[in-house]
């Protein structure tokens, strides 16, 4: 990657950081400057940055039955008062990495149990991406977990009561899930990325 990108970490200077708000997430105001493609250095740039940290997601795939396990839950960020689109989304199992030294793979395994009742012993790294880095700090880590979908409680409700989670489990064919991506019925970034990755790689596991 370093031989492709023009600039690196050392070419951006943080001038000042301020905490604007700290609740469920933290919002910071960052003052910085950076090198310019045309030469020289920029003026002071000020941006608000939502500090989310990192998250793990699991592509739960049954290679024998060619099924995927998805979860459905309400997302306030998908609620639009003047729209008929549902704020309940079909997603991959996913969760925040709460501690700095927490293993992303272990988080994916833990969330699979909490959100879908899935017992996944081994996961395989798929990819990591930045999620909207123009306005928030969040790194997404996606893993593949091979499962037996015949043992999944399709239609069961899971989630932690203390976190007010209300999560419905769906077992869907891989083809159907990918068709819904193409039709825009599945339209959240983690699920789209994960199902696209699976579409490119599923034959390796059959």
């Amino acid at each position: 990657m370093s031989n492709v990108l023009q600039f690196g970490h050392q070419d951006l200077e943080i001038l000042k950081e301020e905490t604007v708000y700290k609740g469920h997430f933290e919002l910071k105001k960052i003052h910085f400057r950076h090198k310019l493609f045309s030469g020289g250095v920029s003026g002071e740039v000020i941006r608000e940055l939502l500090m989310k940290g990192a998250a793990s997601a699991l592509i739960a795939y049954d290679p024998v039955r060619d099924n995927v396990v998805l979860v459905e839950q309400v997302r306030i960020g998908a609620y639009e008062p003047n729209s008929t689109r549902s704020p309940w989304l079909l997603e991959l199992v996913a969760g925040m990495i709460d501690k700095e030294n927490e293993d992303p793979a272990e988080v994916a395994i833990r969330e699979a149990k909490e959100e879908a009742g899935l017992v996944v012993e081994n996961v395989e790294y798929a990819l990591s991406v930045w999620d909207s880095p123009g306005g928030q700090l969040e790194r997404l880590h996606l893993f593949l977990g091979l499962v037996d979908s015949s043992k999944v409680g399709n239609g069961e409700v899971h989630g932690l009561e203390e976190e007010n989670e209300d999560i419905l489990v769906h077992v869907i064919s891989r083809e159907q899930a990918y068709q819904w991506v193409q039709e825009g019925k599945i339209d959240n970034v983690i699920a789209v990325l994960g199902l696209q990755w699976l579409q490119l790689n599923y034959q390796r596991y059959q």
Side-chain angles (χ1 to χ4, degrees):
M1 200 69 171
S2 59
N3 63 344
V4 176
L5 298 176
Q6 179 91 22
F7 296 134
H9 185 272
Q10 70 281 0
D11 298 312
L12 186 149
E13 179 188 4
I14 301 295
L15 302 173
K16 184 170 64 171
E17 291 186 16
E18 308 168 62
T19 296
V20 178
Y21 172 80
K22 192 164 186 177
H24 185 66
F25 295 117
E26 184 177 3
L27 182 66
K28 286 189 174 184
K29 182 178 285 188
I30 311 291
H31 302 244
F32 67 98
R33 60 188 174 200
H34 59 87
K35 283 188 178 180
L36 299 170
F37 293 122
S38 58
V41 179
S42 74
E44 182 178 344
V45 182
I46 303 173
R47 293 287 184 271
E48 286 79 25
L49 189 64
L50 186 63
M51 311 296 289
K52 294 184 68 177
S56 289
L58 183 74
I59 306 162
Y61 178 56
D62 181 343
V64 176
R65 296 165 184 81
D66 202 18
N67 288 336
V68 293
V69 180
L70 302 177
V71 293
E72 177 184 347
Q73 60 185 313
V74 67
R75 295 300 193 186
I76 190 59
Y79 174 71
E80 300 172 290
N82 300 316
S83 172
T84 58
R85 284 185 295 206
S86 175
W88 275 261
L89 304 180
L90 277 175
E91 304 177 332
L92 300 184
V93 165
M96 299 301 297
I97 298 173
D98 298 323
K99 303 170 186 174
E100 287 186 14
N101 60 349
E102 201 168 18
D103 182 5
E106 290 298 321
V107 173
I109 291 170
R110 180 190 72 210
E111 292 296 327
K113 180 64 176 174
E114 289 181 4
E115 294 193 351
L118 281 171
V119 177
V120 183
E121 295 181 354
N122 297 299
V123 296
E124 177 182 319
Y125 173 80
L127 72 160
S128 294
V129 296
W130 290 112
D131 178 11
S132 193
Q136 68 180 29
L137 189 157
E138 183 177 36
R139 188 77 174 172
L140 303 175
H141 304 286
L142 278 77
F143 297 88
L144 174 74
L146 300 182
V147 301
D148 179 353
S149 62
S150 70
K151 297 180 180 178
V152 175
N154 189 28
E156 287 185 358
V157 176
H158 289 268
L160 297 178
E161 186 176 345
E162 61 268 27
E163 295 183 11
N164 290 310
E165 292 181 327
D166 185 50
I167 302 171
L168 183 64
V169 178
H170 294 273
V171 178
I172 302 168
S173 73
R174 174 192 51 80
E175 289 185 352
Q176 179 67 83
Y178 189 63
Q179 183 179 337
W180 285 345
V181 169
Q182 292 177 303
E183 294 172 353
K185 292 180 180 178
I186 294 178
D187 59 356
N188 60 91
V189 67
I190 298 178
V192 170
L193 279 175
L195 292 171
Q196 285 181 331
W197 183 92
L198 182 61
Q199 191 68 11
L200 292 170
N201 293 280
Y202 75 94
Q203 291 178 326
R204 293 163 44 195
Y205 304 95
Q206 292 186 331

